[in-house]
Amino acid sequence: MLFRLHQTTRHLKLAPGHLAQTRPRLAQATMSTFIIPGTDTRVNSTPDLSSDDLLSFPAFKIWIETLQQSLRRQQNPTHEFHNDPYRLRSIEIQSIDRFKGGRLGFVKMKADVSNGSGETLPGSVFLRGGSVGMLLILQPDDIPASQEKGKRVILTIQPRIPAGTLAFAEIPAGMLDDSGTFAGGAAKEIEEETGLSVQQGELIDMTSLTLRSAQEDGGETLQKAVYPSPGGNDEFIPLFLCQKRMPRKEIEELQGKLTGLRDHGEKITLKIVPLENLWKEGLRDGKTLAAWALYKGLQQEGKIQF
């Protein structure tokens, strides 16, 4: 459409500045505007994203419900921002990506969160939703179950183009779709990325277990998960632990194994490392270090054992 419009205007004799005056109207015509139900927040959206698509997007629903709940806390007279509370005034959708089949995958947007004095909070957001991460510890069945030394951990080595590498080391992880539980998603990801079949009941949710033993920040409704990059990304990752005893030979056979959903572009190589070296082997990956810290902390408190 834009190409045909360009071809047409090349042959028109326009007064100086006339075309420049029409451009804002053309840009404006490509946007759609709607109000989020139950609020006065205006959304300016790109033409390829309808209000129904956005409002039904799980990542957006979780994000806005969490933010609105936190904003309501300003009504408390003891809140730091009570005297000049912040509001979510508008959202500008800048771009979207869809997965195969047309399912909404990622949304880049800018949120205007400001107070009556005109002070704004940083509001550039990359919405992608929740993921799961799994600390998968394998122990040879020829050593005592209580013995820590000799345990191994599975890392996946795979391309991570945003990080600029074809060989990024991390614990098995993956995005959640619109269905299933976090634990169910974790079991599914383990099988897809490692080839090991794990029952949902074998998984320990380390983030939830840690939060139960920690003092909650009263009133906040963040997910029971770690947030690897909250300055610009909504992604939250519950971290699960799975401990399995296996024949030593089967553990050794996992070293260098090629896995992943090839038709989804996953090209994964497994790396088996000693548990005591995990913090060094996976130091570039935030969720790997977080899983290591949670495992060690829960172990010290006697909350987990083999």
Side-chain angles (χ1 to χ4, degrees):
M1 176 64 185
L2 290 178
F3 176 76
R4 291 198 297 272
L5 178 63
H6 176 67
Q7 291 291 88
T8 302
T9 55
R10 284 176 55 195
H11 302 287
L12 295 177
K13 293 182 179 180
L14 300 175
H18 180 78
L19 184 57
Q21 293 172 0
T22 66
R23 282 175 181 162
R25 288 197 293 272
L26 289 173
Q28 189 175 24
T30 64
M31 302 292 290
S32 64
T33 301
F34 59 89
I35 302 297
I36 297 176
T39 75
D40 59 356
T41 302
R42 184 183 73 257
V43 177
N44 295 320
S45 179
T46 55
D48 52 353
L49 180 65
S50 69
S51 60
D52 289 342
D53 268 354
L54 180 65
L55 296 176
S56 63
F57 183 36
F60 182 79
K61 290 195 295 185
I62 291 173
W63 173 80
I64 196 164
E65 289 172 3
T66 303
L67 177 60
Q68 288 173 333
Q69 194 280 337
S70 190
L71 291 172
R72 285 194 293 270
R73 294 187 65 205
Q74 298 174 108
Q75 298 171 8
N76 189 321
T78 63
H79 196 283
E80 181 182 0
F81 304 140
H82 174 73
N83 293 331
D84 194 3
Y86 285 88
R87 289 174 46 212
L88 174 60
R89 301 178 188 276
S90 66
I91 296 172
E92 179 186 353
I93 305 298
Q94 298 170 318
S95 65
I96 68 168
D97 281 331
R98 294 186 183 274
F99 296 145
K100 290 181 179 179
R103 184 167 65 91
L104 190 58
F106 304 123
V107 173
K108 175 66 174 67
M109 66 185 194
K110 189 171 182 61
D112 177 3
V113 180
S114 56
N115 62 14
S117 301
E119 298 172 328
T120 62
L121 300 176
S124 293
V125 183
F126 178 70
L127 280 180
R128 55 163 289 153
S131 302
V132 288
M134 292 74 64
L135 179 59
L136 187 50
I137 298 177
L138 307 178
Q139 185 179 44
D141 59 8
D142 57 3
I143 63 176
S146 59
Q147 181 175 312
E148 190 80 356
K149 189 172 181 59
K151 290 182 179 180
R152 298 290 186 265
V153 177
I154 293 182
L155 290 178
T156 62
I157 311 298
Q158 59 183 307
R160 290 300 191 192
I161 299 305
T165 178
L166 299 181
F168 194 80
E170 58 189 294
I171 58 175
M175 293 182 64
L176 289 174
D177 57 22
D178 298 350
S179 61
T181 62
F182 283 116
K188 178 182 175 183
E189 288 295 335
I190 288 176
E191 186 165 5
E192 289 178 356
E193 296 203 355
T194 70
L196 296 177
S197 178
V198 174
Q199 299 301 312
Q200 185 171 326
E202 296 182 71
L203 299 175
I204 297 173
D205 186 342
M206 294 193 294
T207 38
S208 291
L209 189 57
T210 301
L211 285 167
R212 285 201 294 270
S213 65
Q215 184 175 0
E216 293 273 11
D217 183 10
E220 290 288 354
T221 57
L222 293 170
Q223 297 295 306
K224 291 179 171 59
V226 299
Y227 286 74
S229 187
N233 192 324
D234 73 311
E235 183 182 23
F236 55 90
I237 310 177
L239 294 170
F240 290 85
L241 169 67
C242 177
Q243 301 189 88
K244 292 180 72 71
R245 286 177 62 80
M246 295 173 57
R248 184 180 297 272
K249 186 174 184 297
E250 291 184 14
I251 295 176
E252 293 172 350
E253 288 174 348
L254 292 172
Q255 189 72 263
K257 181 179 179 181
L258 302 179
T259 66
L261 299 178
R262 299 299 180 171
D263 58 340
H264 288 195
E266 293 182 347
K267 300 185 184 299
I268 297 172
T269 303
L270 301 186
K271 183 177 182 179
I272 311 301
V273 302
L275 174 60
E276 62 267 25
N277 292 342
L278 177 62
W279 65 278
K280 293 185 289 187
E281 295 280 356
L283 68 91
R284 286 191 173 91
D285 182 49
K287 63 183 173 294
T288 297
L289 294 181
W292 163 263
L294 292 179
Y295 173 76
K296 286 297 185 182
L298 290 168
Q299 193 179 52
Q300 289 175 5
E301 291 190 354
K303 300 292 178 60
I304 56 174
Q305 57 186 357
F306 202 92

